[in-house]
């Protein structure tokens, strides 16, 4: 804290200035953080570093264990990295034969309402990573929580294309808002 404001008051101010969203706060620039009274460049850098440590810790957790047995870290990582974006992105989490993370990759970037996804490019990326399986995710900046018919159709097409090269599609998450990542596998769509 600072004179006249406790650390809790400063935290509330920071959250309020970033739409009461921890994900938006995590993505805020140093300049934006430093604009808050009581937060100087050093505190802003410490805050940015703490969010980066959280991202890295989640990534390490995903690399160390089977993601089939630990969907929590996947959801947390996806929300932390995709929820705040003002445009759609399509991400792949490439996994080895033990379902541990090999790499995460943003494959396509779109507009506020859509992104174009090309199955051929996804198959090429799967082979380049020597992946045994994959988890896809994309965000809905509009906040719509349910997959669209286009999302469902695309997921089926990708599953079929990847099956031809022996890569298994495990899940496709829809990230909508800062606390929600819907699993299409849990919905029975995969």
């Amino acid at each position: 804290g600072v004179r006249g404001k406790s650390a809790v008051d400063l935290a509330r101010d920071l959250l309020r200035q970033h739409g009461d969203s921890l994900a938006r706060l995590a993505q805020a620039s140093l300049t934006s953080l430093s604009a808050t009274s009581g937060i100087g460049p050093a505190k802003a850098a410490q805050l940015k570093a703490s969010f980066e440590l959280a991202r890295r810790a989640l990534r390490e957790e995903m690399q160390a264990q089977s993601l089939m047995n630990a969907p929590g870290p996947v959801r947390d990582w996806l929300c932390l990295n995709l929820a705040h974006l003002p445009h759609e992105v399509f991400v792949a989490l490439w996994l080895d034969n033990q379902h541990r993370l090999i790499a995460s990759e943003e494959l396509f970037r779109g507009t506020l309402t859509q992104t174009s996804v090309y199955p051929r490019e996804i198959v090429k990326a799967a082979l380049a990573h020597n992946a045994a399986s994959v988890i896809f995710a994309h965000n809905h900046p509009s906040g719509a929580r349910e997959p669209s018919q286009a999302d469902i159709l695309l997921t089926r097409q990708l599953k079929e294309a990847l099956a031809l090269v022996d890569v298994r599609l495990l899940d496709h998450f829809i990230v909508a808002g800062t606390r929600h990542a819907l699993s299409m596998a849990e919905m029975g769509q995969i």
Side-chain angles (χ1 to χ4, degrees):
V2 294
R3 182 170 291 165
K5 272 191 183 178
S6 70
V8 172
D9 291 334
L10 274 176
R12 284 188 186 127
D13 288 348
L14 278 168
L15 276 170
R16 195 174 316 111
Q17 290 173 6
H18 293 89
D20 289 321
S21 165
L22 197 54
R24 286 191 190 118
L25 180 61
Q27 296 301 320
S29 68
L30 287 172
T31 305
S32 174
L33 294 172
S34 297
T36 302
S37 176
I39 304 292
K43 283 185 186 175
Q46 287 174 334
L47 191 56
K48 291 292 286 180
S50 66
F51 282 117
E52 183 58 30
L53 287 172
R55 276 189 204 88
R56 290 181 187 196
L58 284 169
R59 185 177 177 84
E60 277 183 22
E61 197 172 333
M62 292 186 331
Q63 290 172 320
Q65 60 187 325
S66 169
L67 296 186
M68 290 298 289
N69 300 326
V74 174
R75 277 191 166 92
D76 293 344
W77 188 87
L78 290 170
C79 286
L80 189 59
N81 285 282
L82 303 181
H84 67 283
L85 298 174
H87 53 274
E88 277 199 17
V89 295
F90 189 89
V91 172
L93 302 177
W94 303 111
L95 309 176
D96 65 14
N97 61 354
Q98 300 295 312
H99 300 134
R100 292 179 304 228
L101 184 67
I102 296 170
S104 60
E105 182 177 25
E106 180 183 309
L107 295 170
F108 306 101
R109 182 178 291 230
T111 66
L112 174 66
T113 57
Q114 69 179 20
T115 187
S116 296
V117 176
Y118 302 98
R120 173 190 160 115
E121 297 303 315
I122 288 175
V123 169
K124 283 173 45 179
L127 294 172
H129 287 287
N130 197 28
S133 57
V134 64
I135 295 173
F136 292 127
H138 77 278
N139 63 324
H140 282 174
S142 66
R145 296 182 185 272
E146 297 297 317
S148 67
Q149 282 305 111
D151 293 337
I152 293 167
L153 178 62
L154 173 66
T155 302
R156 288 182 187 147
Q157 290 172 340
L158 294 175
K159 182 178 179 180
E160 290 171 8
L162 287 166
L164 295 172
V165 293
D166 211 18
V167 176
R168 187 169 165 222
L169 173 57
L170 300 179
D171 208 337
H172 184 164
F173 285 92
I174 310 294
V175 178
T178 58
R179 293 183 180 94
H180 188 73
L182 181 129
S183 163
M184 290 179 69
E186 288 175 357
M187 293 179 60
Q189 294 292 339
I190 294 183

